Amino acid sequence: MAAGVAVGGRLVTSVRIAHAITKGDVGGAQTHVVALAVAQHIAGHRVAIVAGSDGPAMRHAREHGVDVVIAPALLTSRHSFRQLGALRELRRVLRSLAPEIVHGHSSHAGLMVRLAARLDGYPSVYTAHGWPFQVGAPLTQRVASLVGEMIGGRVGGAVIVLTEAEAERARRAHIARPDRIWVVENGLDDVEARRVPSAPGSPPALVMVARFAPPKLQREVIGAMAQLTEFSWSLTFVGDGPEFDATKVIGADLLGDRVRFLGHRDDVAEVLARHDVSVLWSRYEGMPISLLEGMRAGLCCIGRDLPGVRVLLGQPPAGLIAAGERELVAAVRSILVDPTLIEHFGTLARARFQVSFTADAMTAATEVVYEAVVRRR
């Protein structure tokens, strides 16, 4: 990496940065990677994303000037005997990019790219988008991911987590040396799409944007809304995944035409702007991008009581936080009884996004980590 001290948290020289992520489809980690890569590109760095598959996120990155390399080797299972071949392929890709720093995302790509970087002498950083080994995940996943994260933490230069709670979890699990664990909160580019206040008396429109797969809990949201049928409202789900079809059947049975399933959408910001309330209901999270997107759009936000949700909404909360399904029902009931709360919390959420969770803030904090990793070499 070119020499120089960060000024205001920003690298003062152009740096070649290679990000790596397992899949290029839609998800919180992918949104994070693209937002960070685009912001770095705009700041003057030479940025590429290496992904195991193509998809909407990678198309978005290309549209904003970021180079994308598809390396199917990143899709190789961590338990596969083809790992050595995959590692060779990844090393070949990185050599063609000649990065000055490598930044891995998602547990599998994060491990593979840190191994490749260690073998070829590149400084490396890894962002954990929520620890897969935490309580709530299947036992086999917890054991396998813990072993992989411990290996990666020892061969890589730094581990970035999204919240202090995730940092503490990493320290307790001995994922990496404490001085190599950094907290960098999520951030997003601002967009023009904003919620327009509904006409008085209009039924509130709720929306949840998430993949239909663990740890997301769309069925609990449906169960909660089924207890509020005495009120007028609508509910929209955005996203696809292995549980989409079964959840759609359950939703139709319990909620009828009050619920819509839009599947995958490339225009999530515009979809959110046509709703009033953003719901994120999940078994565990790092720092949920979908709720942050709702804050950016000025929606009233409702989330499960998880560390990342508490960080996003702040104190006092710029939204509603619920511990379980009963509390979720109570939270939704409160805004249905008093719709002025939708405007109140939407305004607070938008203001909190602008102050604390922009892409520029995330990029500046990430570059401080890069500088620390390079200086240690």
Side-chain angles (χ1 to χ4, degrees):
M1 181 179 291
V5 178
V7 176
R10 309 304 297 269
L11 297 174
V12 297
T13 54
S14 177
V15 175
R16 294 189 301 276
I17 304 167
H19 294 275
I21 190 164
T22 306
K23 298 179 181 179
D25 56 8
V26 174
Q30 287 83 358
T31 300
H32 170 103
V33 171
V34 173
L36 179 57
V38 169
Q40 290 171 336
H41 170 72
I42 292 171
H45 304 304
R46 287 162 287 178
V47 188
I49 300 175
V50 182
S53 63
D54 211 339
M58 297 305 104
R59 291 196 293 272
H60 183 73
R62 290 189 191 96
E63 290 169 359
H64 287 79
V66 175
D67 292 332
V68 174
V69 178
I70 304 303
L74 281 175
L75 296 178
T76 302
S77 168
R78 183 179 293 174
H79 311 293
S80 170
F81 288 107
R82 294 180 294 174
Q83 284 286 5
L84 289 177
L87 187 59
R88 285 195 297 270
E89 171 68 9
L90 185 54
R91 292 177 69 188
R92 184 192 66 76
V93 170
L94 289 179
R95 286 170 184 165
S96 71
L97 296 172
E100 293 169 279
I101 193 155
V102 176
H103 192 156
H105 305 261
S106 68
S107 56
H108 179 57
L111 175 60
M112 293 290 288
V113 79
R114 281 180 287 177
L115 289 171
R118 180 64 175 266
L119 288 170
D120 288 330
Y122 306 122
S124 67
V125 172
Y126 165 62
T127 294
H129 298 271
W131 295 119
F133 56 78
Q134 58 191 312
V135 175
L139 179 60
T140 54
Q141 174 184 312
R142 290 167 62 185
V143 173
S145 65
L146 180 58
V147 171
E149 297 291 358
M150 292 177 71
I151 293 171
R154 282 152 180 77
V155 301
V159 174
I160 293 175
V161 294
L162 306 177
T163 67
E164 180 55 40
E166 296 288 274
E168 179 58 27
R169 188 171 284 115
R171 288 190 286 264
R172 289 200 307 267
H174 303 289
I175 294 300
R177 283 172 27 188
D179 64 331
R180 297 196 175 189
I181 299 172
W182 296 73
V183 177
V184 176
E185 295 173 343
N186 265 333
L188 291 174
D189 283 321
D190 208 348
V191 295
E192 294 182 1
R194 300 275 192 286
R195 173 183 174 266
V196 176
S198 302
S202 298
L206 291 79
V207 60
M208 177 169 169
V209 180
R211 182 168 166 76
F212 283 78
K216 303 303 188 285
L217 298 169
Q218 287 92 343
R219 296 185 191 187
E220 286 194 11
V221 175
I222 291 170
M225 298 307 297
Q227 301 176 51
L228 296 166
T229 53
E230 72 270 26
F231 298 96
S232 295
W233 48 262
S234 66
L235 173 63
T236 301
F237 288 104
V238 180
D240 56 16
E243 297 182 2
F244 178 85
D245 291 335
T247 306
K248 187 175 182 180
V249 170
I250 293 170
D253 286 345
L254 291 179
L255 305 180
D257 60 5
R258 291 174 178 247
V259 63
R260 298 185 303 158
F261 292 81
L262 301 186
H264 165 74
R265 295 291 292 258
D266 288 330
D267 59 341
V268 169
E270 289 74 19
V271 171
L272 286 170
R274 297 193 291 270
H275 290 78
D276 304 301
V277 181
S278 175
V279 179
L280 190 283
W281 204 245
S282 181
R283 188 169 286 110
Y284 57 86
E285 291 284 341
M287 180 177 281
I289 286 285
S290 63
L291 200 64
L292 186 53
E293 290 174 321
M295 294 171 65
R296 178 179 65 181
L299 274 64
C300 170
C301 294
I302 301 177
R304 191 168 181 180
D305 190 5
L306 300 169
V309 173
R310 291 197 294 270
V311 171
L312 282 178
L313 296 182
Q315 191 59 241
L320 296 164
I321 298 175
E325 187 175 342
R326 180 183 302 174
E327 291 79 10
L328 175 60
V329 172
V332 177
R333 185 187 301 276
S334 70
I335 63 172
L336 296 176
V337 170
D338 183 4
T340 64
L341 291 175
I342 295 176
E343 305 297 332
H344 171 72
F345 284 120
T347 300
L348 290 179
R350 170 67 187 169
R352 183 156 172 78
F353 162 76
Q354 290 177 298
V355 170
S356 302
F357 299 109
T358 63
D360 282 346
M362 175 180 66
T363 303
T366 300
E367 290 178 350
V368 171
V369 181
Y370 289 178
E371 287 284 340
V373 170
V374 172
R375 288 172 185 273
R376 276 203 303 263
R377 293 175 58 79

